[in-house]
Amino acid sequence: MPRIISYSLIFSFCILLINLSFGQDTLKTHSDTLKPHQDSLNKKRERGFRKNRDLAAIFSDSAKLTSSDYQIRIEKNYAILSMIKNKSDLGPRISNIQVKLADSDSALLILKENILNNSQALGLRNLQMFRSLLNDIHKDIEKQRHVLDSAEATLSSLKNELKVMMKDTVIRSLMKDSVNRQLFAPQLKDMREAWRSGTSKLKESITLINLLQTHNSANAVTTAALLEKVNNLLLTSFSRVFSKEYNYLWEPLQNRSLDQLRKSHEKARNGEHKALNYYFKDSLNNRLFLLVIGFIFGIWLYRNIYRLKKSDALDKIQYLQIEYLYPHFIASSFVVIFTLAPFFDLDAPSVYIESMQFLLILTLTFICLKKWPRNLFIYWLAMVVLYICFSFTHHILLPGLFQRFGLILLNVLSVVFGSLFLRGLKNHLQLRGFLRFVIILHNVMNILAILCNIFGRFSLAQILGNTAIFSFTQAIGLAVFSKICIEAILLQIETSRIKQGFKTTFDFQSVIKDFQGLVMFTVVLLWVIVFTTNLNIYNTSKDAVATLMTKQRAIGSANFTLGGIVLFFIIIWIAHLLQKYVGYFFGDTGNDDVQNKNQRSRMLIARLVVLCAGYLLAVTASGLPVDKITIVLGALGVGIGLGLQNIVTNFVSGIILIFDRPLQVGDSIEIGNKTGKVREIGIRSSTLLTSDGAEVIIPNGDILSQHITNWTLSNTQQRLSISVSVNGNQDIEKISNNIKSSISSSSYVLANTTPGIEFVALKKDVCELKIHFWCKDVYKAEEAKSSIIYDLYKEFGESNISIKG
């Protein structure tokens, strides 16, 4: 048994060896078959590894940096640090804000002391001025906040630049490399200095901006609180003015502490004075601009007067009825400055307007000393004295019986002298209707002031009396101002006409009528500003009008404001005025023979440009929605295509005539059966002046659709012809020479030209000649022909010669 088992084990082992031998042969066979493919894969894998290694060597961040890389990065960082240092310098705007904040601090301190602790002593006049100043401070705070926020944004961006620079790995690598660090030691030293100065300047600027923003915010809070308090005080003051302040005039006086009242008013006066200093300092630019305008106006007047003197034409001043400009053109310039002062500072305190008014009164007194009749000037002096007396009524602390009767006396005298001035006015001032209205209003307000004083409304009586006298003197100043403006325009027209060679006079009364509307509008607007300011209702009225004009309104889907519509029509009105009267300032009144056709053409183009620019500006400034206007224009396009073709054709033809210039103003032309001189080229039609004096209005479309004969397109020459018949046996050659000599000696014939003679017909004992010659001025063709015929008749009248024109 054991032997059988051993044989079986030996047999199994042999079989195992055989199988192993067969498996190795099989694996060897498969290995031999796959070996070429494996070699190919190994080669590809090796090439891929080598390629990736090369790319990594090129783009790897750990690639070794060169000295050139270090130099470029140092230069870039140095430039950034220099930029940071320069932009960290806040400049004069921030310094100006520091000064303004310090000024506003002192102003707010005074205002706060008076408004919170001395409100009982503040009248309407003080409160109105304080509100104006607080509004100015509020506007300054808003402007300062915008500047500070912009500066903060700039500094924040610079700070971010520094953060990015601190993460720069190139500079860090340089600092670790001792060899390159030694090589770039000078550049690194400069960069360190730039870093220190730039960062320190940036930190200093950021700290300053933060402090100023905090200061600005604190002032904003204080200003808002004081404004609210002033508005509340104004409401109570208005009600207090119309209520009974003191006893009736026939009742006994009330007992009040005059010392305490005097201290309160003194504090209020000091506060008003210091606040006014802040206002004058803050609004200096407005007054400088006003002085520049007055200076330019004075130079303009002096230049025109000098031209008249140089041309020996000062007699034109008397013809144009110029009263104020010559010889007082400097004083006239001051009248313009003081009159326009409220226009350049609409939110000015009443004290400023009163001071401008007083200076205007002094200037008027100087100018009118020898211009007005003696009685009228005496009445004016009386009104000036009353003006000064009324100004002192503001300083009455506790009106007693004497003060109240004194104010009534001033009111009575103001009515008397105002009525006398109105009676002696006659024809010595412009705008008589306006002055009559103002003087009557002045008298009515003084009567009301007397009644208010009697019934214990002393503050209201003060306001009415002061407003009445101020409106009176302002109206007189505005009347003189309007005359000065008209005289300046007439003077400009006359000097321009002299410069261009016009020798005839022009109808200056029509020019005055043309400009009367614009001057009257300006005068009324200025008077209303001063009148409402003295009544202490200007700011309230302005706010009410602003609210009315800026309130959004809607019709369907279209939104608009009344202010936008009013502004739209005002700009269009001004554009039409400018395009209509722009020629006046160059001496062209439209009623003279043309001296310079090119200038007339340039003025036509200027008028068209002004008109188009005015309409575009009106649409832009009014805030009208452009998409809605486009829809309206699209709808109008249909109407134009159907019924407005002729109007559009004439309009476009007018533009073509202005720019293409086949004819110009002053040209002698023939259009169809019409002959004459071009008087005017308009946008829709043109005017032709015939030799009979008729003005023919021709649509521009008809002009371009017809043949135009222009005798003066390139020159003013015209060839004329005269027929002559010679009877009998006469020397034709001698007669021809005499005819040529006679015609050449005429002043109407163009120089260096020889008359031509044609033999038209030769009959028995009759020779018919036709003479041609060139007239140098087509406008004098008929005169030239008449003169030549007359000269030939004088020379050949006794001969057998017949002359026909």
Side-chain angles (χ1 to χ4, degrees), residues 121 246 254-266 395-400 403:
Y246 303 98
Q254 298 173 347
N255 293 324
R256 292 190 181 183
S257 176
L258 187 60
D259 292 336
Q260 183 64 31
L261 194 61
R262 185 179 290 110
K263 290 179 181 179
S264 299
H265 279 274
E266 187 67 27
H395 302 288
I396 298 177
L397 301 181
L398 185 62
Q403 288 86 353

Side-chain angles (χ1 to χ4, degrees), residues 111 115-116 119 122-124 126-135 138 222-240 536 539-541 543:
L111 293 175
I115 293 171
L116 299 181
S119 59
L122 300 178
L124 277 175
N126 304 114
L127 293 173
Q128 290 283 3
M129 193 190 77
F130 287 170
R131 187 170 75 166
S132 297
L133 294 176
L134 287 171
N135 284 326
H138 176 71
T222 304
T223 303
L226 292 178
L227 265 175
E228 183 178 2
K229 181 66 175 177
V230 167
N231 289 329
N232 293 332
L233 289 174
L234 279 171
L235 291 177
T236 57
S237 295
F238 275 116
S239 61
R240 187 177 62 195
N536 297 312
N539 290 317
T540 306
S541 304
D543 294 341

Side-chain angles (χ1 to χ4, degrees), residues 54 103 110 171 278 349 435 731-732:
D54 295 338
D103 292 339
I110 298 297
I171 298 298
Y278 170 82
L435 290 178
D731 190 347
I732 299 298

Side-chain angles (χ1 to χ4, degrees), residues 198-477:
T199 52
S200 62
K201 187 66 177 177
L202 182 59
K203 290 178 182 178
E204 178 184 345
S205 299
I206 291 175
T207 303
L208 178 60
I209 291 296
N210 291 334
L211 290 174
L212 293 178
Q213 284 179 321
T214 304
H215 194 168
N216 177 268
S217 179
N219 283 1
V221 173
T222 304
T223 303
L226 292 178
L227 265 175
E228 183 178 2
K229 181 66 175 177
V230 167
N231 289 329
N232 293 332
L233 289 174
L234 279 171
L235 291 177
T236 57
S237 295
F238 275 116
S239 61
R240 187 177 62 195
V241 164
F242 286 96
S243 62
K244 183 183 176 183
E245 296 176 288
Y246 303 98
N247 290 344
Y248 295 142
L249 196 60
W250 57 84
E251 293 178 346
L253 297 176
Q254 298 173 347
N255 293 324
R256 292 190 181 183
S257 176
L258 187 60
D259 292 336
Q260 183 64 31
L261 194 61
R262 185 179 290 110
K263 290 179 181 179
S264 299
H265 279 274
E266 187 67 27
K267 184 187 292 186
R269 193 177 300 113
N270 291 335
E272 183 180 11
H273 178 71
K274 292 181 179 180
L276 195 61
N277 289 336
Y278 170 82
Y279 168 79
F280 282 136
K281 185 177 180 180
D282 186 62
S283 59
L284 180 62
N285 293 335
N286 293 336
R287 282 180 294 282
L288 289 177
F289 185 55
L290 182 61
L291 288 175
V292 169
I293 289 179
F295 179 76
I296 293 174
F297 185 79
I299 293 296
W300 179 41
L301 296 180
Y302 172 76
R303 176 173 166 270
N304 288 334
I305 292 173
Y306 177 76
R307 281 185 177 179
L308 289 180
K309 285 183 178 180
K310 192 175 180 180
S311 304
D312 294 328
L314 280 179
D315 57 320
K316 298 290 185 180
I317 291 179
Q318 185 176 2
Y319 166 73
L320 296 174
Q321 299 178 6
I322 292 177
E323 301 178 19
Y324 299 108
L325 294 187
Y326 185 79
H328 303 304
F329 65 92
I330 297 178
S332 299
S333 301
F334 280 109
V335 170
V336 172
I337 291 174
F338 300 140
T339 304
L340 292 179
F343 244 164
F344 286 83
D345 208 343
L346 296 177
D347 295 321
S350 57
V351 177
Y352 171 71
I353 293 180
E354 289 171 8
S355 61
M356 293 295 102
Q357 182 73 15
F358 181 69
L359 294 174
L360 175 63
I361 289 173
L362 294 180
T363 310
L364 289 177
T365 305
F366 171 75
I367 291 179
C368 301
L369 178 60
K370 295 183 180 179
K371 303 294 181 183
W372 290 352
R374 185 170 179 273
N375 290 338
L376 188 65
F377 187 74
I378 289 175
Y379 300 150
W380 168 253
L381 287 180
M383 297 302 292
V384 172
V385 173
L386 289 173
Y387 176 91
I388 297 172
C389 293
F390 271 107
S391 300
F392 283 104
T393 60
H394 291 297
H395 302 288
I396 298 177
L397 301 181
L398 185 62
L401 194 62
F402 175 76
Q403 288 86 353
R404 293 175 70 175
F405 271 110
L407 184 59
I408 291 175
L409 178 63
L410 290 178
N411 294 134
V412 172
L413 291 176
S414 186
V415 171
V416 171
F417 284 105
S419 302
L420 291 174
F421 191 91
L422 178 61
R423 186 180 303 172
L425 188 61
K426 295 182 181 179
N427 298 324
H428 301 293
L429 280 172
Q430 295 273 74
L431 311 178
R432 286 185 294 276
F434 170 71
L435 290 178
R436 182 180 298 275
F437 165 77
V438 171
I439 294 175
I440 292 174
L441 179 63
H442 158 270
N443 293 343
V444 171
M445 293 180 70
N446 275 287
I447 294 172
L448 291 176
I450 293 173
L451 295 176
C452 291
N453 194 352
I454 291 174
F455 290 98
R457 276 75 173 173
F458 186 78
S459 297
L460 185 57
Q462 282 181 317
I463 294 172
L464 291 174
N466 280 277
T467 303
I469 192 70
F470 290 164
S471 64
F472 176 91
T473 53
Q474 176 73 7
I476 302 301

Side-chain angles (χ1 to χ4, degrees), residues 675-677 679 687-697:
T675 302
K677 184 191 297 185
R679 175 84 176 266
T687 304
L688 193 68
L689 181 64
T690 66
S691 57
D692 299 328
E695 294 183 353
V696 182
I697 300 174

